[in-house]
Amino acid sequence: VQLQASGGGLVQAESSLRLSCAASGRTFSRYSMGWFRQAPGKEREFVAAISWPGRRSRYADSVKGRFTISRDNVKNTVYLQMSSMKPEDTAVYYCAADPRDWGTTFSPVSWGQGTQVTVSS
């Protein structure tokens, strides 16, 4: 599956932003989908994931209560709604896909190209 992320930009603290990730190629169905992020000088970290067809989700503690992941299985798109954003949310955000059944870990096999999110204080 090929992934194309979009929606990044420059926002002020406490603002909201929605990222989108469009999937193409192999069927979108059965894939768990998720988002990771990588800040300058830091390792890539998990942000959120959602199961197929979308009943279950999990979040990093740092974004819980502020970010919401969702998916539209007709449009083959996964979203990350980010609210109450903080400067520490600044990073390149990557969408990812895991074809395995939903489990205790989310281990992607496909990655999107990344979209930059910058939060100013």
Side-chain angles (χ1 to χ4, degrees), residues 30-87:
R30 300 298 181 185
Y31 277 73
S32 297
M33 300 296 296
W35 292 90
F36 286 71
R37 67 186 182 186
Q38 187 167 19
K42 296 187 177 181
E43 293 185 354
R44 190 174 298 189
E45 64 175 1
F46 170 79
V47 176
I50 188 168
S51 66
W52 167 262
R55 294 187 182 93
R56 290 170 288 185
S57 60
R58 65 167 63 100
Y59 298 89
D61 288 343
S62 58
V63 306
K64 203 171 292 184
R66 300 188 299 119
F67 290 10
T68 302
I69 189 170
S70 61
R71 63 191 296 164
D72 184 329
N73 297 324
V74 174
K75 296 181 178 180
N76 288 353
T77 301
V78 62
Y79 304 97
L80 185 68
Q81 178 67 49
M82 303 182 289
S83 303
S84 301
M85 297 184 71
K86 305 175 181 180

